Amino acid sequence: MTTLVPADAPAPLTPSLLYLDGVTVSFDGFRALNELSLQIAPGEMRAIIGPNGAGKTTMMDVITGKTRPDTGEVLFDRGVDLTRLDEAAIANLGIGRKFQKPTVFESHTVEDNILLALKGDRRARAVLTARTSDQETRRLDEILEIAGLTAQRHRLAGLLSHGQKQWLEIGMLLAQDPKLLLVDEPVAGMTDAETEATAALLKRISAADHSVVVVEHDMAFVRALGVKVTCLHEGSVLAEGAIDTVSENPRVIEVYLGR
Amino acid sequence: MITRALLTDDRTGKWFLAIVLGLAVVVPLLHLAMPPSSPFHISTATMALLGKYLCFALLALSLDLVWGYCGILSLGHGAFFALGGYAMGMYLMRQIGTRGVYAHPVLPDFMVFLNWKELPWYWYGFENAWFAFLMVMAVPGLLAFVFGWFAFRSRVTGVYLSIITQALTYALMLAFFRNDMGFGGNNGLTDFKDILGFPVQANTTRAALFAVSALALVLGYLVARAIVASRLGKVLVSIRDAESRTRFLGYRVEHYKTFVFTVSAIMAGIAGALYVPQVGIINPSEFTPANSIEVVIWVAVGGRGTLAGAALGAVLVNFAKTTFTTGFLAPYWLFMLGALFVLVTIWLPKGILGTLYDFWARRRPNEEPDAKPASVPQPAE
C-alpha cells in the first residue's frame, strides 16, 4: 500500500508553502472537492494526476481565489488565509497560474505579454505612468531567452504556434516571479519534442527556488518530471508518493490508469 | 513636447490632428471673413452643423476608448453626453436673467410657469461659469464612477453590462421627462441668450464655439492616445482580450475599468456641453436609448480601437444622416442606418480605418521583424 494522506496531518505552522486542509467545494450538490488536504513545500515541484472530474482544476480555482471553498483551510506562505482574498491579491502574494487552454494576450506582442506580467506595482495610477526600466528590459530579455521566444519577441502573440503560446504563458508566470506556480496541463496538444522541452523548462523553473504544481494527464511527461506525484479522485487525495509507487497502486490503476 | 512623444508612432493621429486643427482655423475664418456672396463663404447653418459633428466625434472617441480598447460595450454613453449638455444648459438658463418671457430675475421661465417660488438647491451655483463647467465634467464623471464601481466590482460584463447601461440612460430619460425634476420636463432647456457674456446667436460666438469644439476634440484625442499608449492602455487591451488572465496576473480589473469608464464619461460630458450652445436646446430626448446605440454604429463604421476612426465614423454617419433625412429618402433613414450596421459588421468588421490599417500592413509585410513563418501554423482566430 502506498503512503496515503497521513491521518495526523501536521499543523499549519510546518514550513509548507501551501497548506490545504479539509477543503470542500460543492456545486449544486456535486462535491468537486471533498475534504481535500495537500501540502507543498517551498521549492518543491509536485505533479497532480487524476481522472476527469477528480477536482484538479477546482483545486487550482480555490488556491487562486476564483472559487471560495465551502469549508476547509487554504493557507499560503506562513499562514496567509487565501480564502479571504480575491484573484488579484493572491496573484500579488506570489501565486501564478497557467490555464489549461493557453491564454495569452493575442493582440499584444510577445514582449508586451511578458512586460505586463513582470513583477511590479499593479495599481492603476502607477501603471499609467510606468516606463520600462533598464532592469525590466534585462529581465525581459532573460525570460524571452529561457522561454525560447527571443526571435519572436516583436510578433503578435496570437500568431504563435500552440506550443509557443504555452511557453509564452509559462514565461509570463516566470515574469511574475511567483513563489508558487500552478500549471494546468502544460503539454496538452504538444509534440514529443515540445513536451520534452517543456519538462526541461519546468524543472529549470523549479530549480530556481519556485514551487511548482503541475496538473497533467500525460504520464510520460509526469515520469519525465521525476517528482512526487499526487493522485486525486472524487475530490480527495487517493495516493501520494513517487511515480512508480503511485502508478502501481491498485486503486490508482482502477480509477485512472486502467489495467 | 509630450504631444510629439505621443505621436511618434501615430501617423494617422498626426493627420487627424492636422485636419481638426485646420478646421478650427479655416471654418470660422471662412464664415467670418468671407462675404455671404462669396462661394467660399461658410454659412451659419453649415458651421453649426459641422460643430455638431465635431461634438459627436468627441462622443464617439469617448466610446471607442471604453469599447474599442477595454471591451466595455456601453449602450448608455448618450446619458453622459446629455448630462454634460444639461449642466451647460443650466448655466445658459441662468444667464438669461430678466430677458425671459416672465422676466423673473432668478427663476427660469419653466419654473415660473410651474409656480415654483425658489430655485431648487441643485440649481445653485450654475450662474457661475466655472462652477457649471466643472459640473459638465463632474456630474457625468461621478455617475460613471459610481456606476462603474458597482457594476465592475460585481463583475457585470458583456451583454449584461450593455443592458444595464441601456437601462441607465432610459431611466434618466424618464426622470428628465418629469416636470417636477426641475429640468424643464419634455421641453428641456432652451431660449439661451448669452454664454460668458457673448450672445449665443452672434456669428463670432458661433465661430468661437466651433473652434473650441475642434480644440476639445484635439485634446480628447491626445488624452485618449496618452492612455492607450501607456502601459495602462496595454492592460486595458489585455482586459478586453482575456479578462481573467489579467486578474490572475494581479491586476485589479475593476479599478482599470472604472478609471477608463470615468475618463470616457467626462469626455462625453464635455462633448454634450459644447453641443448644447451650438444647437440651442437640450431636452430629454438626448437620453433616448436609440441615441446611444447610434454612437456604437458610428464607432463600428469608423473602426473600433482606432480613436481617429471613431471620430471619422461619427462625421460620416452624421453627414449621411443629414443628407438622407432632408430629402425624399427621409422615411427610410432608420432602415439605412440599420442596414449600414449589418453590412459593416459583415463586410468591414474592423470598420473603415481598421480595414485600411490591415491593407497597409499587408503592403508592408517587412514590418514584422525576424519572423519564422515556416514554424508557424495559421493564426488561430
Side-chain angles (χ1 to χ4, degrees), chain B residues 26-44:
Chain B
V26 171
V27 171
L29 212 62
L30 291 183
H31 174 64
L32 295 175
M34 288 288 162
S37 56
S38 160
F40 295 109
H41 176 74
I42 289 180
S43 69
T44 310

PDB file of all heavy atoms in Angstrom, chain B residues 26-44:
ATOM      1  N   VAL B  26      -9.836  77.305 -40.277  1.00  0.00           N
ATOM      2  CA  VAL B  26     -10.378  77.641 -41.596  1.00  0.00           C
ATOM      3  C   VAL B  26     -11.887  77.906 -41.560  1.00  0.00           C
ATOM      4  O   VAL B  26     -12.355  78.906 -42.111  1.00  0.00           O
ATOM      5  CB  VAL B  26     -10.042  76.502 -42.594  1.00  0.00           C
ATOM      6  CG1 VAL B  26     -10.776  76.723 -43.906  1.00  0.00           C
ATOM      7  CG2 VAL B  26      -8.546  76.433 -42.811  1.00  0.00           C
ATOM      8  N   VAL B  27     -12.622  77.045 -40.890  1.00  0.00           N
ATOM      9  CA  VAL B  27     -14.085  77.195 -40.923  1.00  0.00           C
ATOM     10  C   VAL B  27     -14.537  78.523 -40.305  1.00  0.00           C
ATOM     11  O   VAL B  27     -15.270  79.283 -40.956  1.00  0.00           O
ATOM     12  CB  VAL B  27     -14.776  75.975 -40.259  1.00  0.00           C
ATOM     13  CG1 VAL B  27     -16.266  76.223 -40.094  1.00  0.00           C
ATOM     14  CG2 VAL B  27     -14.526  74.727 -41.086  1.00  0.00           C
ATOM     15  N   PRO B  28     -14.083  78.871 -39.088  1.00  0.00           N
ATOM     16  CA  PRO B  28     -14.501  80.189 -38.552  1.00  0.00           C
ATOM     17  C   PRO B  28     -14.030  81.343 -39.435  1.00  0.00           C
ATOM     18  O   PRO B  28     -14.759  82.324 -39.614  1.00  0.00           O
ATOM     19  CB  PRO B  28     -13.798  80.239 -37.184  1.00  0.00           C
ATOM     20  CG  PRO B  28     -13.572  78.824 -36.816  1.00  0.00           C
ATOM     21  CD  PRO B  28     -13.304  78.119 -38.103  1.00  0.00           C
ATOM     22  N   LEU B  29     -12.838  81.193 -40.013  1.00  0.00           N
ATOM     23  CA  LEU B  29     -12.306  82.251 -40.854  1.00  0.00           C
ATOM     24  C   LEU B  29     -13.185  82.458 -42.083  1.00  0.00           C
ATOM     25  O   LEU B  29     -13.553  83.591 -42.422  1.00  0.00           O
ATOM     26  CB  LEU B  29     -10.878  81.874 -41.287  1.00  0.00           C
ATOM     27  CG  LEU B  29      -9.920  83.025 -41.488  1.00  0.00           C
ATOM     28  CD1 LEU B  29      -9.721  83.772 -40.170  1.00  0.00           C
ATOM     29  CD2 LEU B  29      -8.580  82.510 -42.002  1.00  0.00           C
ATOM     30  N   LEU B  30     -13.522  81.347 -42.762  1.00  0.00           N
ATOM     31  CA  LEU B  30     -14.343  81.453 -43.969  1.00  0.00           C
ATOM     32  C   LEU B  30     -15.737  81.979 -43.630  1.00  0.00           C
ATOM     33  O   LEU B  30     -16.371  82.656 -44.427  1.00  0.00           O
ATOM     34  CB  LEU B  30     -14.449  80.096 -44.668  1.00  0.00           C
ATOM     35  CG  LEU B  30     -13.174  79.572 -45.323  1.00  0.00           C
ATOM     36  CD1 LEU B  30     -13.441  78.260 -46.026  1.00  0.00           C
ATOM     37  CD2 LEU B  30     -12.612  80.598 -46.309  1.00  0.00           C
ATOM     38  N   HIS B  31     -16.184  81.656 -42.420  1.00  0.00           N
ATOM     39  CA  HIS B  31     -17.503  82.122 -42.014  1.00  0.00           C
ATOM     40  C   HIS B  31     -17.488  83.627 -41.747  1.00  0.00           C
ATOM     41  O   HIS B  31     -18.373  84.358 -42.195  1.00  0.00           O
ATOM     42  CB  HIS B  31     -17.957  81.370 -40.765  1.00  0.00           C
ATOM     43  CG  HIS B  31     -19.237  81.885 -40.198  1.00  0.00           C
ATOM     44  ND1 HIS B  31     -20.427  81.817 -40.885  1.00  0.00           N
ATOM     45  CD2 HIS B  31     -19.515  82.491 -39.018  1.00  0.00           C
ATOM     46  CE1 HIS B  31     -21.394  82.342 -40.146  1.00  0.00           C
ATOM     47  NE2 HIS B  31     -20.861  82.767 -39.010  1.00  0.00           N
ATOM     48  N   LEU B  32     -16.467  84.090 -41.056  1.00  0.00           N
ATOM     49  CA  LEU B  32     -16.441  85.489 -40.626  1.00  0.00           C
ATOM     50  C   LEU B  32     -15.874  86.417 -41.691  1.00  0.00           C
ATOM     51  O   LEU B  32     -16.375  87.525 -41.895  1.00  0.00           O
ATOM     52  CB  LEU B  32     -15.620  85.627 -39.342  1.00  0.00           C
ATOM     53  CG  LEU B  32     -16.202  84.928 -38.111  1.00  0.00           C
ATOM     54  CD1 LEU B  32     -15.235  85.029 -36.945  1.00  0.00           C
ATOM     55  CD2 LEU B  32     -17.554  85.523 -37.740  1.00  0.00           C
ATOM     56  N   ALA B  33     -14.822  85.967 -42.375  1.00  0.00           N
ATOM     57  CA  ALA B  33     -14.091  86.888 -43.239  1.00  0.00           C
ATOM     58  C   ALA B  33     -14.669  86.972 -44.650  1.00  0.00           C
ATOM     59  O   ALA B  33     -14.519  87.984 -45.320  1.00  0.00           O
ATOM     60  CB  ALA B  33     -12.620  86.490 -43.297  1.00  0.00           C
ATOM     61  N   MET B  34     -15.318  85.908 -45.100  1.00  0.00           N
ATOM     62  CA  MET B  34     -15.835  85.921 -46.477  1.00  0.00           C
ATOM     63  C   MET B  34     -17.232  86.515 -46.495  1.00  0.00           C
ATOM     64  O   MET B  34     -18.056  86.196 -45.641  1.00  0.00           O
ATOM     65  CB  MET B  34     -15.893  84.481 -47.013  1.00  0.00           C
ATOM     66  CG  MET B  34     -14.538  83.892 -47.299  1.00  0.00           C
ATOM     67  SD  MET B  34     -13.828  84.637 -48.760  1.00  0.00           S
ATOM     68  CE  MET B  34     -12.115  84.209 -48.539  1.00  0.00           C
ATOM     69  N   PRO B  35     -17.496  87.365 -47.470  1.00  0.00           N
ATOM     70  CA  PRO B  35     -18.867  87.901 -47.590  1.00  0.00           C
ATOM     71  C   PRO B  35     -19.820  86.780 -47.991  1.00  0.00           C
ATOM     72  O   PRO B  35     -19.409  85.837 -48.680  1.00  0.00           O
ATOM     73  CB  PRO B  35     -18.739  88.937 -48.711  1.00  0.00           C
ATOM     74  CG  PRO B  35     -17.534  88.520 -49.478  1.00  0.00           C
ATOM     75  CD  PRO B  35     -16.599  87.873 -48.503  1.00  0.00           C
ATOM     76  N   PRO B  36     -21.074  86.846 -47.566  1.00  0.00           N
ATOM     77  CA  PRO B  36     -22.028  85.771 -47.860  1.00  0.00           C
ATOM     78  C   PRO B  36     -22.152  85.479 -49.350  1.00  0.00           C
ATOM     79  O   PRO B  36     -22.543  84.380 -49.738  1.00  0.00           O
ATOM     80  CB  PRO B  36     -23.346  86.300 -47.296  1.00  0.00           C
ATOM     81  CG  PRO B  36     -22.942  87.286 -46.269  1.00  0.00           C
ATOM     82  CD  PRO B  36     -21.640  87.877 -46.723  1.00  0.00           C
ATOM     83  N   SER B  37     -21.812  86.451 -50.176  1.00  0.00           N
ATOM     84  CA  SER B  37     -21.952  86.234 -51.626  1.00  0.00           C
ATOM     85  C   SER B  37     -20.835  85.358 -52.177  1.00  0.00           C
ATOM     86  O   SER B  37     -20.974  84.752 -53.231  1.00  0.00           O
ATOM     87  CB  SER B  37     -21.941  87.589 -52.342  1.00  0.00           C
ATOM     88  OG  SER B  37     -20.744  88.275 -51.999  1.00  0.00           O
ATOM     89  N   SER B  38     -19.726  85.282 -51.452  1.00  0.00           N
ATOM     90  CA  SER B  38     -18.575  84.521 -51.947  1.00  0.00           C
ATOM     91  C   SER B  38     -18.863  83.028 -51.950  1.00  0.00           C
ATOM     92  O   SER B  38     -19.531  82.511 -51.056  1.00  0.00           O
ATOM     93  CB  SER B  38     -17.365  84.820 -51.072  1.00  0.00           C
ATOM     94  OG  SER B  38     -16.418  83.793 -51.215  1.00  0.00           O
ATOM     95  N   PRO B  39     -18.343  82.324 -52.970  1.00  0.00           N
ATOM     96  CA  PRO B  39     -18.540  80.869 -52.992  1.00  0.00           C
ATOM     97  C   PRO B  39     -17.785  80.184 -51.863  1.00  0.00           C
ATOM     98  O   PRO B  39     -18.060  79.036 -51.550  1.00  0.00           O
ATOM     99  CB  PRO B  39     -17.983  80.441 -54.358  1.00  0.00           C
ATOM    100  CG  PRO B  39     -17.089  81.570 -54.780  1.00  0.00           C
ATOM    101  CD  PRO B  39     -17.658  82.807 -54.163  1.00  0.00           C
ATOM    102  N   PHE B  40     -16.828  80.872 -51.254  1.00  0.00           N
ATOM    103  CA  PHE B  40     -16.046  80.257 -50.165  1.00  0.00           C
ATOM    104  C   PHE B  40     -16.674  80.500 -48.802  1.00  0.00           C
ATOM    105  O   PHE B  40     -16.181  80.027 -47.797  1.00  0.00           O
ATOM    106  CB  PHE B  40     -14.614  80.803 -50.176  1.00  0.00           C
ATOM    107  CG  PHE B  40     -13.850  80.420 -51.403  1.00  0.00           C
ATOM    108  CD1 PHE B  40     -13.544  81.359 -52.372  1.00  0.00           C
ATOM    109  CD2 PHE B  40     -13.478  79.089 -51.607  1.00  0.00           C
ATOM    110  CE1 PHE B  40     -12.863  80.994 -53.519  1.00  0.00           C
ATOM    111  CE2 PHE B  40     -12.783  78.730 -52.737  1.00  0.00           C
ATOM    112  CZ  PHE B  40     -12.479  79.681 -53.709  1.00  0.00           C
ATOM    113  N   HIS B  41     -17.735  81.281 -48.787  1.00  0.00           N
ATOM    114  CA  HIS B  41     -18.363  81.581 -47.509  1.00  0.00           C
ATOM    115  C   HIS B  41     -18.999  80.326 -46.911  1.00  0.00           C
ATOM    116  O   HIS B  41     -19.609  79.526 -47.623  1.00  0.00           O
ATOM    117  CB  HIS B  41     -19.442  82.647 -47.710  1.00  0.00           C
ATOM    118  CG  HIS B  41     -20.216  82.950 -46.471  1.00  0.00           C
ATOM    119  ND1 HIS B  41     -19.698  83.676 -45.424  1.00  0.00           N
ATOM    120  CD2 HIS B  41     -21.470  82.597 -46.086  1.00  0.00           C
ATOM    121  CE1 HIS B  41     -20.589  83.764 -44.459  1.00  0.00           C
ATOM    122  NE2 HIS B  41     -21.681  83.118 -44.841  1.00  0.00           N
ATOM    123  N   ILE B  42     -18.814  80.150 -45.608  1.00  0.00           N
ATOM    124  CA  ILE B  42     -19.472  79.037 -44.913  1.00  0.00           C
ATOM    125  C   ILE B  42     -20.612  79.632 -44.095  1.00  0.00           C
ATOM    126  O   ILE B  42     -20.392  80.531 -43.275  1.00  0.00           O
ATOM    127  CB  ILE B  42     -18.472  78.280 -44.019  1.00  0.00           C
ATOM    128  CG1 ILE B  42     -17.501  77.492 -44.904  1.00  0.00           C
ATOM    129  CG2 ILE B  42     -19.195  77.338 -43.075  1.00  0.00           C
ATOM    130  CD1 ILE B  42     -16.473  76.699 -44.149  1.00  0.00           C
ATOM    131  N   SER B  43     -21.815  79.161 -44.346  1.00  0.00           N
ATOM    132  CA  SER B  43     -22.980  79.770 -43.708  1.00  0.00           C
ATOM    133  C   SER B  43     -23.057  79.387 -42.240  1.00  0.00           C
ATOM    134  O   SER B  43     -22.415  78.436 -41.785  1.00  0.00           O
ATOM    135  CB  SER B  43     -24.248  79.322 -44.423  1.00  0.00           C
ATOM    136  OG  SER B  43     -24.453  77.947 -44.160  1.00  0.00           O
ATOM    137  N   THR B  44     -23.854  80.154 -41.511  1.00  0.00           N
ATOM    138  CA  THR B  44     -24.069  79.866 -40.091  1.00  0.00           C
ATOM    139  C   THR B  44     -24.563  78.445 -39.906  1.00  0.00           C
ATOM    140  O   THR B  44     -24.089  77.704 -39.034  1.00  0.00           O
ATOM    141  CB  THR B  44     -25.122  80.842 -39.526  1.00  0.00           C
ATOM    142  OG1 THR B  44     -24.731  82.156 -39.891  1.00  0.00           O
ATOM    143  CG2 THR B  44     -25.233  80.718 -38.024  1.00  0.00           C
TER     144      THR B  44
END
